[in-house]
Every structure is written in C-alpha cells, then in structure tokens.
Amino acid sequence: MKVHEYQAKEIFKKYGIPTPKEKMCRNIDEVVIAASKEIGIPCVIKAQVMVGGRGKAGGIKVAKNEKEVKDYAEKILGMEIKGIPVKKVLVSEAISIVSEAYLGIINDRTTKKTVMMACKEGGVEIEVIAKQKPEAIYKVYADPLVGFMPHKSREIGLFLYNEPKRAFECASITEKLYNLFIELDSSLAEINPLVVDKSGKLIALDAKINFDDNGLYRHPDIESMRDRESEDENELLAREQNLSYVKLSGNIGCVVNGAGLAMATMDLVKHFGGEPANFLDIGGSSSPGKVKNALEILLKDKNVKVIFFNIFGGITRCDDVANGILEAKKCLNIKQPIVARLTGTNEDKAMEILKEAGLIFTQTMDQGAKKAIELLN
Amino acid sequence: MSILINNNTRLLVQGITGRDGSFHTRQMLDYGTNVVAGVTPGKGGMEVEGVPVFNSLSEAVKKTEANTSVIFVPARFSSSAIYEAADAGIKLIVCISEGLPTIELVKITAYLKNKDCRLVGPNSPGLVSAGESKVGILPGHIFKKGKVGVISRSGTLTYEIVDHITRVGLGQSTCIGIGGDPIIGTKFIDCLELFADDKDTEAVVLVGEIGGRDEQDTAEYVKKYFKKPVFGFIVGKTAPPEKRMGHAGAVISGTSGTAAEKIKVFKECGIKVGDTPAEVAQLVKEML
C-alpha cells in the first residue's frame, strides 16, 4: 500500500524526523489561506499524487506572491499527472537548499536483510542511479536479529557529510527511519531529497513510504490512511472479497485460480495474438459465491468481449467453479460468450453441471486462448 | 532417488485440526506420505485421520521422531510455528501459509542460519517426490515418477507444467514450490545444488515470474556450475509495472524484474525457454 507525501510526512513527524512547515489543502481557498496565514510566502505548492515525476509534469511550483499562489493552486488542482487527477496539494515552506542527498531503506530480497541506502546525489530517482552508477549508492545492512546498531547509523552520516555535527544529525535521522520502517511493516521508506538548509539544518524535503500489504493487519492506523479515491474501484472491491484483480487494456476477460497460472493465461492470450482485459486470481479453495463475485467485477469492464475460464483444479474443485458460473448466469445478464477450460478435481461433475449452460469447453489452455480470440471476430 | 523428501520422511502437520490441515493430511496419507504426528496447541490427545495430535512440537518430535513439518496455521501464527519447529529439531519445514509480513522472513531466515534446518516457503504449495512422498497441497495424481526436477515460484502453474511433462511421457523426480513471497527460505539455487547431486534427476525446469532478480542470479549460477540441462518458463510478460500480480513477490519495480529481462538472461546463460507450458514440456522431451 502506498500513501501520499503529506501522510508520509505526518509519520516522519511522529518519529521526530524534521520536515518543512506544511499543510495539506483540497481547494484553492484553503491554499490561499494556508499560504498567507500559516506557511508564509514564498511557498511551494506540491501535487499529492502517488506517482513519480510530479516535478517534470509541472505539479510542483514555487509561488513568490499571493497571485502566484492562487494561479498555481488553480492550475495544479485542475491537472492530471500520468492520468491521475490531482485532488490535494501540499503547501510547503520554501527552503533555501544548500545540498541534497538520498536516504532510503528496503528489505533486500537477495541478501534477505534490511538495507539502508545513502547517496550524495539527492532529488534523482534512485533506480536511475542504481542503473547508471551503482557505486554511488552506499549500502549498510541491518543485523536481522539485533537491528540497526548506532555505529551503522553514524557510518551512514559520516558517508554523507564531512562535518561531524551534521553527520551525527543524519545518524539520528537514519535511526528514526529504520525504527519506523520496522515498526510499521514498511516495504520502502525514502527521504529524497534530504537537504541541508542555509542555517545548516537537515530537513526531509520529500517523503515516500510504502507498506507491506501482508503486515497491514497489525496496523489499522496505517490501513485507515488508504486513499480509496486514488485506487481502482474494482481492484478495491476485489480485495475486499479476497480476490486479486488488476485491470488491463484488452478485451478478453480471464478468470483463473492461482496467481502464476493467471499470469500465464494473460501471456498466452497475448502470445496467440489477443489482448487480456485483466489479471484475476480467484484463489485456492474457491466457493461458487466467489466465482460469481469475480464475474461481477470482471463484467464492470465494458471492454470485455469474451470470458475465458482457466481452472486447474487441485484444492479448487471444478464443480464449485461450475456452480458459480451457473449462479452468475442466473443473476447477471452475461451476454459475452464463455470459453471454459476446467481440468483436475471433479472436472466430470463440472461438465455435467454445465452441459446445458451454453459454454464452449476446451481441453487445454492453448485451445482455450485460441478459441477466445477466434470468438472476437 | 529424489531431493528433500523421500520414503524416510516422517511428517508432522502443524495446524492438523484446522480445515485445510485435516483435509490435506488425508490427501497426503492417500499419496503414501508417512504422516506421523500433528500439532495443535490445546488439542493434544486427539486423532485426525488416525494421526495422533500433540500440544507441542518438542513432545511430538520426541515421541514420533518426526523430521519434517508442514505448516497450515494462519499467517499471523506462522512465524511462531516456524520457530517452534526449528527449536524442536525438525530438519525441513514447509510453510504453506500465505500472508506473512516480509520483515518476519528477514528474522526467520537469519534465525535458521544457525540451525541444521531448511525452510521451504512461505506461500508454497509444498513439494512432491514422485511415487515416494508428498508434503503440501499439490494434487498427487498429476505426478509420475521420472527424471525431471521442477522448481517453481507458483502453485497452479506448477501443476500445469507438471501435467504437460507427464503427458509428453516423461515424469518427475522432485517438484518443489519455493513460494511466491519476496523473501523465502529456499531459493532456486539452493534446489539446484541438491539436484546437481541427485543421480535420478537428468534435467531441471525452472518456473519463474516477474519481480526481484532471483531468476537472473540463478541463470548465472547455471552457466557457471550446473552441468545438467535446464529449461525455463517465465510468466508476467503482460503484467503492468508497479502492480502486485497476486503473489507478494510478483511486482515489477520501475523497470527491473520484468519477464523480458529474465527471459533474456536465461537464454544468454544457456537455459532453453518455452513460450507456453506445452512448449516447455516439448523442449524437455526433445532433449531427453
């Protein structure tokens, strides 16, 4: 799960990581009041959308007077960045920047350890640096059982800053970043850039925190930060029903059990010249009701012209899936043809249940994908 | 021959009294697995499918000499189930549960490093040594004893591939679902090291997916050290970036961890890649 910059900064504040004076606003009036009464002018107006490249898209502007505050607020609150409409902005104190650095933390899949990453170049996407000059990224690993020891935080500070006072200030920020990462089941926590201002103080100018979906059950306060408006409605609905759905741009709707097989099904449709409309995993022990819910979500996508069921029964019983299809046919007005490949546990029962349902059956997933594509024409 | 599990496997089921635990205990017994014990704290003294249930792992291990465990408890109790099994002297822990927070795996894998104990999973369908033993939820009927080793990050997709391998007239030595999470106990390379010494495994199929760089590292390993023929299949070619495709580990971050990148490295390292599951089985057949 991702949160907005302003939400990440609230968490930073709780942990004592210094941030600029800021206020989140939802309309132009709020921006004008915040800028003139609380933050001060000049100020920075920053679009709150959960995608990178806000600056390049014109979503971050420095307003030098009241007219500019109003103009930029109007412009940014009306714009779309990578297709996402901007509904909130952050009005932030203008900081005169002396230097910029990067500080970030993740769980590294390869070493199976938590790793703190520091780079003397801030404000640039870390992935770009990782590709172009990986040697510029300094990595310090936490001990999984002891934690991030104080001398490691100092090591980070001394790598980024020559002056001891600043280095130790940075060490303190590093320690806090580690603590919030671990305590909140974060999957990425990033300060980019970490700046030194004119007075020599360190400030987290931007903030990014992603959370491990698997850890959310123990952090209801984080779950409540979820911005439902910025997520796809059907993906949210699917998650609430324990289904895993991702919308794509094609027209062949896929219903599959298991994430790997679901990806393989999408790839196969594409391989034979079609375009998958979605990723949809109905999970392991699927009940008829779950299948019906899945079809309901799938059919909200008006691009879907054919439905392709690909079920490899193990724990999933094919007769459960068949009953779900029957139930869905009764309740939902399904006009699209359904191609079904149901194999494994209780496949014979499934065939019996569906023999008069008007489905097109295939033996293999290759045949199923080809048939679905054929039906488009 | 086979790897990790065989006729000497003495299996203990953690969470045996639950819905999934009891159902799959029956399935595993039917396959011929030697299920010697079950554990559910508070339910000691019961029997499930004729298998005695104990209150603790240490008691169960002492009384039954179980050497392998399979975990069916809910994700939030799975970490402690793994620690308990490791402390009781279990040598192989197979965690079926899905949904463990990643940071738990950072700690667990570090803890297990100092023990003579291997973890498979979490979020794994388990493993099968064809004709000998089945630990987990894979459907037993698709396997046939043979010479192909299979290692996969997925569940049902593994069944699809195994089924094709069986249908072209080949069979499997051991098939391992290593799990779909970002951090897992046993990786592709760990399995390959075991397959290298297994006389009955003549070829290995790797089933990978988007996210991370495990497949890339594995390909480099195959090129340098692994002498048997290796085949590959990677899914997620059509997956959009930054979206989790079901498995917690199946996410393309930025431009890294794509299927295209993995397929390219596989091919560069001499791994034959099939475009479809059917094609993978065909490629293996042509070689053997």
mmCIF file of all heavy atoms in Angstrom, chain B residues 130-160:
data_model
loop_
_atom_site.group_PDB
_atom_site.id
_atom_site.type_symbol
_atom_site.label_atom_id
_atom_site.label_comp_id
_atom_site.label_asym_id
_atom_site.label_seq_id
_atom_site.Cartn_x
_atom_site.Cartn_y
_atom_site.Cartn_z
ATOM 1 N N ALA B 130 7.999 -37.792 -6.624
ATOM 2 C CA ALA B 130 7.004 -38.635 -7.279
ATOM 3 C C ALA B 130 7.116 -40.095 -6.838
ATOM 4 O O ALA B 130 8.201 -40.682 -6.837
ATOM 5 C CB ALA B 130 7.122 -38.515 -8.792
ATOM 6 N N GLY B 131 5.980 -40.662 -6.453
ATOM 7 C CA GLY B 131 5.915 -42.062 -6.055
ATOM 8 C C GLY B 131 6.445 -42.335 -4.656
ATOM 9 O O GLY B 131 6.377 -43.462 -4.184
ATOM 10 N N GLU B 132 6.999 -41.304 -3.977
ATOM 11 C CA GLU B 132 7.558 -41.528 -2.644
ATOM 12 C C GLU B 132 6.807 -40.771 -1.560
ATOM 13 O O GLU B 132 6.289 -41.366 -0.624
ATOM 14 C CB GLU B 132 9.034 -41.116 -2.604
ATOM 15 C CG GLU B 132 9.919 -41.956 -3.506
ATOM 16 C CD GLU B 132 11.382 -41.569 -3.342
ATOM 17 O OE1 GLU B 132 11.869 -41.597 -2.204
ATOM 18 O OE2 GLU B 132 12.019 -41.224 -4.360
ATOM 19 N N SER B 133 6.758 -39.466 -1.707
ATOM 20 C CA SER B 133 6.208 -38.664 -0.633
ATOM 21 C C SER B 133 5.669 -37.345 -1.171
ATOM 22 O O SER B 133 6.210 -36.793 -2.134
ATOM 23 C CB SER B 133 7.308 -38.391 0.412
ATOM 24 O OG SER B 133 6.779 -37.770 1.548
ATOM 25 N N LYS B 134 4.595 -36.874 -0.534
ATOM 26 C CA LYS B 134 4.026 -35.575 -0.894
ATOM 27 C C LYS B 134 3.827 -34.778 0.374
ATOM 28 O O LYS B 134 3.231 -35.266 1.340
ATOM 29 C CB LYS B 134 2.696 -35.788 -1.615
ATOM 30 C CG LYS B 134 1.843 -34.539 -1.737
ATOM 31 C CD LYS B 134 0.554 -34.801 -2.481
ATOM 32 C CE LYS B 134 -0.612 -34.394 -1.609
ATOM 33 N NZ LYS B 134 -1.777 -33.910 -2.319
ATOM 34 N N VAL B 135 4.371 -33.555 0.411
ATOM 35 C CA VAL B 135 4.223 -32.679 1.564
ATOM 36 C C VAL B 135 3.626 -31.371 1.069
ATOM 37 O O VAL B 135 4.286 -30.623 0.349
ATOM 38 C CB VAL B 135 5.584 -32.427 2.250
ATOM 39 C CG1 VAL B 135 5.443 -31.393 3.366
ATOM 40 C CG2 VAL B 135 6.165 -33.721 2.809
ATOM 41 N N GLY B 136 2.359 -31.119 1.396
ATOM 42 C CA GLY B 136 1.738 -29.892 0.922
ATOM 43 C C GLY B 136 0.429 -30.149 0.219
ATOM 44 O O GLY B 136 -0.235 -31.161 0.474
ATOM 45 N N ILE B 137 0.067 -29.255 -0.701
ATOM 46 C CA ILE B 137 -1.278 -29.280 -1.272
ATOM 47 C C ILE B 137 -1.313 -29.606 -2.753
ATOM 48 O O ILE B 137 -2.340 -29.479 -3.406
ATOM 49 C CB ILE B 137 -1.979 -27.921 -1.037
ATOM 50 C CG1 ILE B 137 -1.228 -26.776 -1.743
ATOM 51 C CG2 ILE B 137 -2.090 -27.613 0.450
ATOM 52 C CD1 ILE B 137 -1.943 -25.441 -1.677
ATOM 53 N N LEU B 138 -0.173 -29.989 -3.333
ATOM 54 C CA LEU B 138 -0.175 -30.278 -4.770
ATOM 55 C C LEU B 138 -1.048 -31.503 -5.046
ATOM 56 O O LEU B 138 -1.044 -32.451 -4.266
ATOM 57 C CB LEU B 138 1.256 -30.557 -5.269
ATOM 58 C CG LEU B 138 2.300 -29.483 -4.993
ATOM 59 C CD1 LEU B 138 3.109 -29.827 -3.768
ATOM 60 C CD2 LEU B 138 3.212 -29.285 -6.180
ATOM 61 N N PRO B 139 -1.802 -31.495 -6.166
ATOM 62 C CA PRO B 139 -2.642 -32.657 -6.472
ATOM 63 C C PRO B 139 -1.779 -33.849 -6.896
ATOM 64 O O PRO B 139 -1.078 -33.781 -7.915
ATOM 65 C CB PRO B 139 -3.533 -32.175 -7.615
ATOM 66 C CG PRO B 139 -2.849 -30.990 -8.202
ATOM 67 C CD PRO B 139 -1.944 -30.420 -7.153
ATOM 68 N N GLY B 140 -1.815 -34.924 -6.116
ATOM 69 C CA GLY B 140 -0.908 -36.050 -6.335
ATOM 70 C C GLY B 140 -1.033 -36.736 -7.683
ATOM 71 O O GLY B 140 -0.037 -37.217 -8.242
ATOM 72 N N HIS B 141 -2.263 -36.749 -8.240
ATOM 73 C CA HIS B 141 -2.495 -37.588 -9.423
ATOM 74 C C HIS B 141 -1.763 -37.143 -10.694
ATOM 75 O O HIS B 141 -1.664 -37.891 -11.650
ATOM 76 C CB HIS B 141 -4.000 -37.687 -9.703
ATOM 77 C CG HIS B 141 -4.596 -36.419 -10.211
ATOM 78 N ND1 HIS B 141 -5.103 -35.433 -9.377
ATOM 79 C CD2 HIS B 141 -4.748 -35.949 -11.470
ATOM 80 C CE1 HIS B 141 -5.552 -34.434 -10.113
ATOM 81 N NE2 HIS B 141 -5.345 -34.716 -11.378
ATOM 82 N N ILE B 142 -1.267 -35.905 -10.732
ATOM 83 C CA ILE B 142 -0.615 -35.435 -11.973
ATOM 84 C C ILE B 142 0.848 -35.865 -12.060
ATOM 85 O O ILE B 142 1.471 -35.739 -13.108
ATOM 86 C CB ILE B 142 -0.697 -33.887 -12.102
ATOM 87 C CG1 ILE B 142 -0.086 -33.201 -10.863
ATOM 88 C CG2 ILE B 142 -2.140 -33.442 -12.302
ATOM 89 C CD1 ILE B 142 0.002 -31.686 -10.985
ATOM 90 N N PHE B 143 1.390 -36.393 -10.953
ATOM 91 C CA PHE B 143 2.817 -36.729 -10.954
ATOM 92 C C PHE B 143 3.070 -38.164 -11.411
ATOM 93 O O PHE B 143 2.254 -39.054 -11.179
ATOM 94 C CB PHE B 143 3.401 -36.550 -9.544
ATOM 95 C CG PHE B 143 3.400 -35.119 -9.105
ATOM 96 C CD1 PHE B 143 2.310 -34.577 -8.449
ATOM 97 C CD2 PHE B 143 4.490 -34.304 -9.378
ATOM 98 C CE1 PHE B 143 2.301 -33.243 -8.058
ATOM 99 C CE2 PHE B 143 4.491 -32.974 -8.989
ATOM 100 C CZ PHE B 143 3.389 -32.440 -8.334
ATOM 101 N N LYS B 144 4.213 -38.341 -12.059
ATOM 102 C CA LYS B 144 4.636 -39.684 -12.443
ATOM 103 C C LYS B 144 6.132 -39.765 -12.182
ATOM 104 O O LYS B 144 6.863 -38.808 -12.454
ATOM 105 C CB LYS B 144 4.352 -39.874 -13.945
ATOM 106 C CG LYS B 144 4.281 -41.329 -14.372
ATOM 107 C CD LYS B 144 4.004 -41.429 -15.855
ATOM 108 C CE LYS B 144 5.295 -41.678 -16.605
ATOM 109 N NZ LYS B 144 5.158 -41.578 -18.042
ATOM 110 N N LYS B 145 6.579 -40.875 -11.640
ATOM 111 C CA LYS B 145 7.992 -40.995 -11.314
ATOM 112 C C LYS B 145 8.840 -40.845 -12.567
ATOM 113 O O LYS B 145 8.542 -41.443 -13.604
ATOM 114 C CB LYS B 145 8.244 -42.358 -10.674
ATOM 115 C CG LYS B 145 9.533 -42.390 -9.888
ATOM 116 C CD LYS B 145 9.600 -43.616 -8.992
ATOM 117 C CE LYS B 145 10.927 -43.693 -8.268
ATOM 118 N NZ LYS B 145 11.304 -42.466 -7.548
ATOM 119 N N GLY B 146 9.857 -40.017 -12.496
ATOM 120 C CA GLY B 146 10.683 -39.799 -13.678
ATOM 121 C C GLY B 146 11.943 -39.008 -13.376
ATOM 122 O O GLY B 146 12.386 -38.962 -12.224
ATOM 123 N N LYS B 147 12.481 -38.363 -14.410
ATOM 124 C CA LYS B 147 13.833 -37.812 -14.297
ATOM 125 C C LYS B 147 13.926 -36.295 -14.354
ATOM 126 O O LYS B 147 15.004 -35.737 -14.455
ATOM 127 C CB LYS B 147 14.681 -38.406 -15.431
ATOM 128 C CG LYS B 147 14.810 -39.921 -15.353
ATOM 129 C CD LYS B 147 15.556 -40.422 -16.580
ATOM 130 C CE LYS B 147 16.169 -41.764 -16.349
ATOM 131 N NZ LYS B 147 15.432 -42.915 -16.188
ATOM 132 N N VAL B 148 12.765 -35.641 -14.336
ATOM 133 C CA VAL B 148 12.784 -34.182 -14.442
ATOM 134 C C VAL B 148 12.541 -33.547 -13.069
ATOM 135 O O VAL B 148 11.564 -33.863 -12.403
ATOM 136 C CB VAL B 148 11.710 -33.680 -15.439
ATOM 137 C CG1 VAL B 148 11.810 -32.167 -15.622
ATOM 138 C CG2 VAL B 148 11.838 -34.401 -16.782
ATOM 139 N N GLY B 149 13.422 -32.648 -12.680
ATOM 140 C CA GLY B 149 13.219 -31.868 -11.459
ATOM 141 C C GLY B 149 12.499 -30.581 -11.813
ATOM 142 O O GLY B 149 12.765 -29.993 -12.863
ATOM 143 N N VAL B 150 11.579 -30.147 -10.958
ATOM 144 C CA VAL B 150 10.850 -28.907 -11.227
ATOM 145 C C VAL B 150 10.972 -27.993 -10.011
ATOM 146 O O VAL B 150 10.784 -28.443 -8.873
ATOM 147 C CB VAL B 150 9.351 -29.188 -11.516
ATOM 148 C CG1 VAL B 150 8.596 -27.889 -11.792
ATOM 149 C CG2 VAL B 150 9.188 -30.155 -12.691
ATOM 150 N N ILE B 151 11.301 -26.713 -10.255
ATOM 151 C CA ILE B 151 11.372 -25.715 -9.182
ATOM 152 C C ILE B 151 10.517 -24.530 -9.611
ATOM 153 O O ILE B 151 10.693 -24.017 -10.722
ATOM 154 C CB ILE B 151 12.812 -25.217 -8.938
ATOM 155 C CG1 ILE B 151 13.823 -26.375 -8.930
ATOM 156 C CG2 ILE B 151 12.895 -24.433 -7.630
ATOM 157 C CD1 ILE B 151 15.276 -25.911 -9.024
ATOM 158 N N SER B 152 9.600 -24.089 -8.760
ATOM 159 C CA SER B 152 8.647 -23.081 -9.207
ATOM 160 C C SER B 152 8.273 -22.096 -8.117
ATOM 161 O O SER B 152 8.182 -22.456 -6.941
ATOM 162 C CB SER B 152 7.385 -23.791 -9.713
ATOM 163 O OG SER B 152 6.375 -22.849 -9.992
ATOM 164 N N ARG B 153 8.011 -20.841 -8.512
ATOM 165 C CA ARG B 153 7.555 -19.822 -7.562
ATOM 166 C C ARG B 153 6.033 -19.828 -7.424
ATOM 167 O O ARG B 153 5.476 -18.993 -6.722
ATOM 168 C CB ARG B 153 8.006 -18.425 -8.026
ATOM 169 C CG ARG B 153 9.449 -18.116 -7.677
ATOM 170 C CD ARG B 153 9.930 -16.824 -8.316
ATOM 171 N NE ARG B 153 9.278 -15.628 -7.810
ATOM 172 C CZ ARG B 153 9.488 -14.410 -8.299
ATOM 173 N NH1 ARG B 153 10.329 -14.242 -9.292
ATOM 174 N NH2 ARG B 153 8.853 -13.364 -7.794
ATOM 175 N N SER B 154 5.394 -20.764 -8.126
ATOM 176 C CA SER B 154 3.939 -20.706 -8.207
ATOM 177 C C SER B 154 3.288 -22.006 -7.749
ATOM 178 O O SER B 154 3.955 -22.992 -7.461
ATOM 179 C CB SER B 154 3.594 -20.393 -9.656
ATOM 180 O OG SER B 154 2.241 -20.571 -9.883
ATOM 181 N N GLY B 155 1.948 -22.020 -7.687
ATOM 182 C CA GLY B 155 1.207 -23.223 -7.316
ATOM 183 C C GLY B 155 0.568 -23.862 -8.539
ATOM 184 O O GLY B 155 1.145 -24.760 -9.157
ATOM 185 N N THR B 156 -0.600 -23.362 -8.899
ATOM 186 C CA THR B 156 -1.335 -23.985 -10.012
ATOM 187 C C THR B 156 -0.541 -24.011 -11.314
ATOM 188 O O THR B 156 -0.682 -24.927 -12.108
ATOM 189 C CB THR B 156 -2.682 -23.285 -10.262
ATOM 190 O OG1 THR B 156 -2.489 -21.886 -10.260
ATOM 191 C CG2 THR B 156 -3.690 -23.664 -9.199
ATOM 192 N N LEU B 157 0.282 -22.989 -11.525
ATOM 193 C CA LEU B 157 1.096 -23.006 -12.752
ATOM 194 C C LEU B 157 2.072 -24.184 -12.735
ATOM 195 O O LEU B 157 2.359 -24.784 -13.778
ATOM 196 C CB LEU B 157 1.856 -21.681 -12.904
ATOM 197 C CG LEU B 157 2.828 -21.596 -14.081
ATOM 198 C CD1 LEU B 157 2.097 -21.803 -15.402
ATOM 199 C CD2 LEU B 157 3.546 -20.260 -14.083
ATOM 200 N N THR B 158 2.535 -24.530 -11.538
ATOM 201 C CA THR B 158 3.398 -25.707 -11.403
ATOM 202 C C THR B 158 2.642 -26.957 -11.840
ATOM 203 O O THR B 158 3.184 -27.814 -12.547
ATOM 204 C CB THR B 158 3.845 -25.867 -9.937
ATOM 205 O OG1 THR B 158 4.237 -24.595 -9.449
ATOM 206 C CG2 THR B 158 4.982 -26.846 -9.807
ATOM 207 N N TYR B 159 1.379 -27.067 -11.412
ATOM 208 C CA TYR B 159 0.581 -28.241 -11.769
ATOM 209 C C TYR B 159 0.437 -28.315 -13.294
ATOM 210 O O TYR B 159 0.514 -29.382 -13.893
ATOM 211 C CB TYR B 159 -0.824 -28.210 -11.141
ATOM 212 C CG TYR B 159 -0.902 -27.782 -9.690
ATOM 213 C CD1 TYR B 159 -2.092 -27.309 -9.152
ATOM 214 C CD2 TYR B 159 0.213 -27.862 -8.848
ATOM 215 C CE1 TYR B 159 -2.179 -26.907 -7.825
ATOM 216 C CE2 TYR B 159 0.133 -27.463 -7.527
ATOM 217 C CZ TYR B 159 -1.057 -26.974 -7.022
ATOM 218 O OH TYR B 159 -1.150 -26.562 -5.716
ATOM 219 N N GLU B 160 0.189 -27.157 -13.896
ATOM 220 C CA GLU B 160 0.031 -27.087 -15.353
ATOM 221 C C GLU B 160 1.284 -27.636 -16.047
ATOM 222 O O GLU B 160 1.206 -28.478 -16.934
ATOM 223 C CB GLU B 160 -0.209 -25.622 -15.759
ATOM 224 C CG GLU B 160 -0.425 -25.384 -17.239
ATOM 225 C CD GLU B 160 -1.808 -25.791 -17.725
ATOM 226 O OE1 GLU B 160 -2.782 -25.601 -16.984
ATOM 227 O OE2 GLU B 160 -1.898 -26.332 -18.847
#
